Amino acid sequence: MPVSIPPGILYLFQNLPSLIIPPATVAGLSQIIRNHTNLYISTWILAFACILSLPATFAMKVLYKDWKDEKDAAAHNAFLPPRVPDSTPAGLGLLRSALDSFKNGYPGEQFEGFYAQLGSHFMNFRILYEDRFFTTEPDHIKAVLATQFESFEKGPVFQHQMKGLLGSGVFNSDGEMWKFHRAMTRPFFSKDRISHFDIFDRHAADALKQLKERLREGYPVDIQDLASRFTMDSATEFLFSKDVQSLAAGIPYPHYSHLASASEAVNHPANRFARAFDDAQRVKQNMVVINEFIDPILAAAVQRKREAAAEQEDVEMKGKSEGEALENESLLDHLINYTDDENVLRDETLNILLAGRDTTTNSITYALYMLSKHPDVLQKLRQEVLEKVGEIRRPTFEDMKDMKYLRAVINETLRLYPAVPFNIRSSNQPVVLPGKNGSPPRYIPARTKVGYSVFLMHRRQDLWGPDAGKFDPDRFLDDRVKNYITPNPFIFLPFNAGPRICLGQQFAYHETSFFLIRLLQQFTNLKHVPEAQPPASLPPPEWKLASGTKGTDDFRIKSYLTMSAMGGCWLSMEEADTN
């Protein structure tokens, strides 16, 4: 892999002219004055003036940009979003509070206070003199993702930051490169292919067998870890026709058990891979371990393709129409028909692995956690499972289409706990966003970062009703659908929207549904076990006084690229009587 340039060095290189021109101009003017007048300028005064020229020039650039942005907004009969007030220089107070909120607070709670203070769900969160717009308005998010899609991109800053993990894959590319990745991946996610449940069934059976054995030992189980191993093995087999065998490493014991450290099997290859994959999302390192697994598979696949082409043994592939995916081929088998560039293949498969593993793990974890907190919902859902599928039979695609309450439970889980709670784009040209409730339009200058949060939008009472903070799957089945969702479908975006909408959306629904059905066929009476949570994962006692899920969650949420339960989600349950 290419060596990544440290962002600090890259920033200095990109801004080198701004650092050289002001002092050079001062020095040049000093020399002109010396040559044409008798005025003597001492060396220390010249040095001081050169140094002072940098902040002076920077201040002038900031003031000019502010003036120009206001002028351009007025020319479009629009206004810039209100700026979050901060009395500290360069927004350092906001930066400090944002970092503290990220580390110690509940996701996005910092913005709740800003909403009340500014009277707007669209704001300018300026830090270090750089505008960072942020919105939870459905119409604005709709414009960013769909109606004005061409005006927004991931942008070079995001791409540089994520290149170590995502390379130039579909989640980290723009323009023609993004279209190329999207076009070659899309045919694989067909209805027939994603409803092929053999992979799910094999790994779910292994996961539930281990779940049963651990419960019989008298211990609760970290359902997030179990779901993560199930989705990791399913995703890697789906992608490469070879799974990483993370379930073979065994599942952990709770922290209070004397078996906890021994059970982690730290050096098991599957655990090393999973740990490196998680760490890479935070620090963009540990890619060596990940590549040790992927690179041999890529090399072997490329070699097979070249040998088959040379010997003209790819008759089946030649008879296949372009873009068509064969029933039993892996995603890698499919992609290799488009390119044999191992860097492109690695980037794309890692991008899909991130989405396929983390999003479904999140959905399964929080769905089961919510069922443990809401026994009435658990009973109703389990009744639907037994009525539609029974106690033993493997669920089919047709079963899932008919299980309306199951889909409602998953949707309500995704509403309150979306896998990607926060996201960002960058404007590549000036944009005017629609006003809200008769208010004037809002203006976004070119090259401005625009963040948005479906996590916060999904919890707004003005969009979802006064019970927005409550877990209630019936909101996706009763009159609240026509009252809230039907008139404004962009209030619910767990899989994004527009041209970048998640290709694996149905795959995720099917995998989550399959695992939940299989588990509820065999288990009942789910309970969360707070004492099994690592102490550092427990929320502060004062959070219990808060409204919404902040006051009811039994563990802290951590969020990097995707969201997860800090310290896992430890549940106990009873084996169902199938006699």
Side-chain angles (χ1 to χ4, degrees):
M1 293 187 64
V3 177
S4 179
I5 301 174
I9 295 177
L10 184 66
Y11 177 85
L12 290 174
F13 180 78
Q14 291 173 337
N15 290 275
L16 199 57
S18 299
L19 297 174
I20 293 177
I21 292 175
T25 301
V26 170
L29 289 173
S30 171
Q31 189 63 44
I32 292 174
I33 292 172
R34 286 177 175 176
N35 293 339
H36 294 81
T37 69
N38 294 325
L39 184 63
Y40 171 76
I41 302 176
S42 66
T43 302
W44 72 267
I45 292 179
L46 177 60
F48 180 75
C50 287
I51 294 172
L52 188 63
S53 70
L54 292 172
T57 302
F58 182 77
M60 291 174 61
K61 288 174 63 176
V62 170
L63 292 173
Y64 173 75
K65 184 178 185 306
D66 288 347
W67 172 82
K68 185 176 186 304
D69 289 346
E70 292 279 0
K71 180 173 176 291
D72 291 344
H76 288 85
N77 295 315
F79 290 87
L80 293 164
R83 187 182 300 170
V84 176
D86 182 34
S87 58
T88 61
L92 292 177
L94 283 178
L95 176 60
R96 184 170 58 251
S97 65
L99 293 174
D100 180 69
S101 179
F102 177 79
K103 181 180 179 181
N104 301 312
Y106 198 75
E109 66 177 347
Q110 184 182 31
F111 292 101
E112 299 291 341
F114 298 152
Y115 297 152
Q117 184 178 9
L118 301 173
S120 172
H121 289 274
F122 186 35
M123 64 192 68
N124 181 359
F125 196 73
R126 176 182 274 194
I127 295 177
L128 301 179
Y129 300 106
E130 181 183 11
D131 291 333
R132 291 169 170 85
F133 293 176
F134 183 83
T135 185
T136 60
E137 286 290 357
D139 289 345
H140 295 166
I141 298 176
K142 178 181 180 180
V144 170
L145 299 181
T147 56
Q148 299 192 58
F149 173 79
E150 296 296 336
S151 299
F152 296 91
E153 59 189 13
K154 293 286 186 173
V157 174
F158 180 90
Q159 289 169 350
H160 175 76
Q161 291 173 341
M162 301 307 301
K163 189 173 181 60
L165 175 63
L166 300 177
S168 61
V170 68
F171 297 136
N172 199 38
S173 56
D174 291 312
E176 294 304 314
M177 178 60 75
W178 169 76
K179 291 178 182 178
F180 167 72
H181 280 287
R182 185 87 175 182
M184 72 176 179
T185 306
R186 185 198 308 272
F188 192 72
F189 289 92
S190 65
K191 173 184 172 182
D192 291 337
R193 186 65 179 86
I194 62 177
S195 62
H196 189 70
F197 294 151
D198 289 344
I199 292 175
F200 298 160
D201 200 29
R202 183 163 51 255
H203 297 298
D206 189 355
L208 297 181
K209 177 176 177 290
Q210 294 194 44
L211 171 61
K212 200 169 293 185
E213 292 172 349
R214 184 56 50 83
L215 291 171
R216 288 174 179 174
E217 293 181 55
Y219 290 105
V221 170
D222 178 4
I223 205 68
Q224 179 171 262
D225 179 86
L226 187 72
S228 177
R229 294 174 189 276
F230 161 71
T231 57
M232 177 66 85
D233 287 352
S234 297
T236 48
E237 182 172 352
F238 178 78
L239 291 170
F240 308 117
S241 294
K242 174 184 173 63
D243 71 90
V244 75
Q245 297 184 333
S246 64
L247 281 164
I251 58 178
Y253 286 86
H255 68 92
Y256 57 74
S257 170
H258 69 284
L259 298 170
S261 58
S263 71
E264 291 178 357
V266 174
N267 292 320
H268 190 286
N271 282 345
R272 290 179 62 237
F273 181 89
R275 193 165 55 249
F277 196 73
D278 289 336
D279 291 346
Q281 295 183 49
R282 298 193 295 272
V283 297
K284 316 301 180 298
Q285 296 174 357
N286 295 317
M287 294 302 295
V288 172
V289 176
I290 297 172
N291 292 334
E292 283 176 355
F293 172 78
I294 293 178
D295 285 352
I297 299 174
L298 296 179
V302 170
Q303 185 62 28
R304 285 197 306 271
K305 179 193 175 186
R306 291 172 178 170
E307 290 175 356
E311 299 173 10
Q312 296 186 344
E313 292 178 353
D314 54 339
V315 176
E316 182 180 17
M317 297 308 302
K318 287 187 175 182
K320 186 181 77 169
S321 61
E322 182 178 356
E324 179 187 349
L326 293 177
E327 177 64 21
N328 294 318
E329 68 179 357
S330 68
L331 178 61
L332 177 59
D333 294 330
H334 170 75
L335 296 178
I336 210 166
N337 296 314
Y338 291 82
T339 178
D340 58 5
D341 186 321
E342 292 186 28
N343 289 325
V344 173
L345 294 171
R346 182 191 302 106
D347 290 347
E348 191 61 17
T349 51
L350 273 176
N351 277 240
I352 302 301
L353 178 58
L354 173 67
R357 182 252 196 170
D358 283 17
T359 57
T360 312
T361 296
N362 176 84
S363 302
I364 292 173
T365 300
Y366 279 99
L368 291 173
Y369 174 60
M370 286 292 99
L371 293 178
S372 76
K373 301 274 287 183
H374 300 273
D376 55 327
V377 176
L378 171 60
Q379 181 180 359
K380 187 174 179 179
L381 178 58
R382 189 164 189 273
Q383 181 179 347
E384 183 182 63
V385 168
L386 297 180
E387 288 177 355
K388 300 293 185 181
V389 187
E391 297 176 341
I392 300 174
R393 181 171 63 82
R394 187 174 99 170
T396 65
F397 175 71
E398 287 70 26
D399 291 329
M400 293 180 186
K401 283 201 302 183
D402 198 32
M403 299 177 72
K404 302 296 189 290
Y405 195 66
L406 173 62
R407 177 58 70 99
V409 168
I410 296 173
N411 279 342
E412 181 69 343
T413 301
L414 292 171
R415 183 182 73 85
L416 288 175
Y417 303 99
V420 183
F422 299 89
N423 216 323
I424 192 168
R425 296 288 188 270
S426 179
S427 59
N428 55 34
Q429 58 184 307
V431 177
V432 177
L433 297 181
K436 180 72 175 176
N437 298 325
S439 64
R442 296 296 184 179
Y443 178 75
I444 300 178
R447 296 178 297 281
T448 301
K449 295 175 182 176
V450 182
Y452 62 95
S453 172
V454 297
F455 179 87
L456 296 176
M457 180 178 70
H458 286 176
R459 294 160 176 255
R460 283 178 52 178
Q461 293 186 10
D462 60 322
L463 300 177
W464 289 91
D467 62 348
K470 177 185 175 184
F471 180 82
D472 183 5
D474 284 329
R475 77 174 70 248
F476 285 92
L477 299 171
D478 59 25
D479 286 345
R480 285 172 289 185
V481 174
K482 68 178 182 181
N483 292 338
Y484 297 109
I485 303 174
T486 302
N488 195 0
F490 272 79
I491 68 172
F492 183 57
L493 299 176
F495 294 99
N496 246 338
R500 282 188 182 265
I501 192 170
C502 177
L503 285 173
Q505 176 176 344
Q506 292 307 314
F507 180 88
Y509 270 122
H510 291 156
E511 187 175 22
T512 301
S513 299
F514 192 99
F515 190 86
L516 293 179
I517 291 170
R518 279 310 211 186
L519 185 143
L520 294 177
Q521 285 177 316
Q522 303 176 47
F523 296 92
T524 186
N525 197 26
L526 280 66
K527 302 288 184 184
H528 181 252
V529 184
E531 56 268 25
Q533 292 289 149
S537 72
L538 298 174
E542 58 268 24
W543 283 17
K544 293 297 182 184
L545 302 175
S547 60
T549 57
K550 180 182 178 181
T552 58
D553 282 350
D554 296 304
F555 47 77
R556 297 169 63 104
I557 295 173
K558 65 178 182 179
S559 176
Y560 297 103
L561 286 179
T562 55
M563 190 168 69
S564 60
M566 183 182 294
C569 175
W570 294 83
L571 302 181
S572 67
M573 55 193 80
E574 297 175 3
E575 291 185 46
D577 183 4
T578 57
N579 295 330

